[in-house]
Amino acid sequence: MPSPGEPKPQPLRIDFHVHLATYDGSMHPWVVDWISQSHPGGYEKYVARYSDPGAFEALLEEEGVDYACILAELNPVTTGMCSNDSVREFCHGRKRLIPFCDLNPHLHTDLGAELRRKVESEGFRGLKLYPSYQHYYLNEPRMYPLYQAAEELGIPVLIHTGSSVFKGTRLKYANPLHLDDVAVDFPSLNLVMAHSGRGFWYDRAFFLSRLHPNVYMELSGLPPAKLLTYFPELARNTGKTIFGSDWPAMPHIRHNMEAIAKLPLSPEGAAAILGGNAARILKLEGRS
C-alpha cells in the first residue's frame, strides 16, 4: 500500500498473447499468407524490423504495453516451430518481455521434469499449450504431471481453445470443456483460455471462468466490437478476463486496448481486463 500522499501505482497494461515476428525458419507458408493479410503495407519488412527485441520493446512502448508474454510454439504439423530457445534468447535481459515455453507431448516424454527445468534453470515464467495443433486432449492422464509441476511452480498455463484456420488443426481437441477436469484436479493452477473458445464455445468458456476460481478467459484474436455479442454479460466477468492481442497477426494493440476501455464496463473492470488480472497471476506490481 502506498503511504499517505504518495501517488497510487498506475494500472499495468499487459498483452498476454504475443508470438515472435519470425520463427526458426519453419513457419508454414499458409500461416505467413494468413498473417500477411493483416499487413497490407508489407509483412516481410514489418516482421524483419521487429525480429530485433530492442525494436519490439520500443513498439510495446509506443503501443502503451508495459509487459508482453512471448510464446514458444512447437507445432511442426500445423503452424511451424518457434523454439523455446528462441523465445528465451529474445526475452533475455528484457524487463517488458515474459517468456512462455511450450511442451509438446509428442516431442517430450517427462513433461513435469522438463517444465521444472524450463522454469527453474532457463527462466520461463509461463506455459503455452496448443492441443488442437498438437492433437491431444487437455484432460489426458499423460498431461497431468505437467499440470502438477506448473501448479507447484506457481506459473500460469495459457491454452489455445476454439477455432483455427490453419491446415492440420483438429478442433475436437480445442473444446474448453476438457479444462473442467484439469481445473477440478489442480485447483491452485491458473488456467487461461486463449481466444475464449473462439467460434464454437464462447458460452462454455464464459461459464467455466465463472465456475472455477482458477480459470480465466483471454481475448486474443477477438474483435473488441464483437465482445458483447460473444459475451453479453462480460461486465459480470471482468475479474476473470485477460487481454491478449495475438501479435503479429493482430498488430493494432493500442487500438484494441482503447476499444475495450470504451466498452460499457466500469473503469475498474476495464483496467482488470487490460492488465490487472494478468499482473495478479504473473505476480507483477503496478507502475508508479
Side-chain angles (χ1 to χ4, degrees):
M1 297 288 294
S3 302
E6 289 185 4
K8 293 182 179 179
Q10 295 298 307
L12 294 172
R13 288 201 166 187
I14 299 171
D15 190 337
F16 212 79
H17 195 126
V18 171
H19 298 276
L20 289 189
T22 54
Y23 282 18
D24 304 338
S26 58
M27 183 183 285
H28 291 319
W30 53 84
V31 181
V32 175
D33 291 344
W34 183 79
I35 296 178
S36 296
Q37 297 175 28
S38 302
H39 296 270
Y43 171 71
E44 292 183 1
K45 183 177 179 180
Y46 183 86
V47 297
R49 177 179 181 184
Y50 295 117
S51 294
D52 174 75
F56 182 68
E57 278 198 314
L59 175 66
L60 294 178
E61 177 75 26
E62 294 170 8
E63 295 289 333
V65 177
D66 295 294
Y67 294 96
C69 298
I70 311 299
L71 311 177
E73 185 169 350
L74 308 180
N75 300 329
V77 175
T78 49
T79 56
M81 297 290 284
C82 179
S83 70
N84 291 311
D85 287 346
S86 292
V87 168
R88 185 185 71 247
E89 292 168 7
F90 189 83
C91 297
H92 181 70
R94 306 281 176 177
K95 288 186 176 182
R96 287 182 185 268
L97 309 183
I98 299 174
F100 274 48
C101 61
D102 176 27
L103 296 182
N104 183 331
H106 302 293
L107 302 177
H108 302 93
T109 51
D110 192 338
L111 293 169
E114 184 65 22
L115 181 62
R116 292 181 193 281
R117 186 173 70 83
K118 287 281 183 288
V119 173
E120 295 173 344
S121 300
E122 299 183 17
F124 285 93
R125 295 165 62 185
L127 172 67
K128 173 68 188 293
L129 298 179
Y130 301 83
S132 59
Y133 293 170
Q134 298 170 358
H135 304 167
Y136 62 88
Y137 290 107
L138 290 164
N139 56 356
E140 290 180 21
R142 62 174 167 163
M143 302 302 295
Y144 270 46
L146 183 65
Y147 301 136
Q148 181 177 350
E151 184 177 54
E152 292 172 357
L153 291 164
I155 63 168
V157 181
L158 177 64
I159 306 107
H160 178 101
T161 63
S163 64
S164 174
V165 299
F166 301 130
K167 296 178 182 180
T169 301
R170 296 185 183 273
L171 296 183
K172 65 183 179 181
Y173 298 114
N175 188 338
L177 184 60
H178 300 135
L179 276 175
D180 181 61
D181 286 332
V182 183
V184 170
D185 293 336
F186 300 93
S188 298
L189 175 61
N190 287 314
L191 301 163
V192 182
M193 298 175 290
H195 317 300
S196 294
R198 180 174 55 196
F200 290 90
W201 299 299
Y202 295 128
D203 55 346
R204 292 185 181 185
F206 185 90
F207 185 86
L208 286 167
S209 68
R210 296 286 295 173
L211 177 65
H212 296 297
N214 57 327
V215 176
Y216 292 78
M217 293 166 39
E218 185 254 71
L219 303 178
S220 60
L222 306 183
K226 292 284 189 177
L227 288 178
L228 293 183
T229 300
Y230 301 151
F231 310 108
E233 296 184 274
L234 180 62
R236 296 179 57 228
N237 208 38
T238 55
K240 298 298 296 299
T241 304
I242 291 173
F243 173 78
S245 67
D246 212 359
W247 188 95
M250 301 297 176
H252 307 296
I253 305 175
R254 181 187 289 274
H255 172 82
N256 283 358
M257 290 191 301
E258 291 177 348
I260 289 172
K262 292 177 182 178
L263 293 175
L265 308 170
S266 69
E268 297 79 12
I273 291 174
L274 295 175
N277 298 327
R280 184 173 65 253
I281 66 175
L282 290 166
K283 303 179 178 64
L284 299 170
E285 295 182 359
R287 49 191 165 86
S288 57

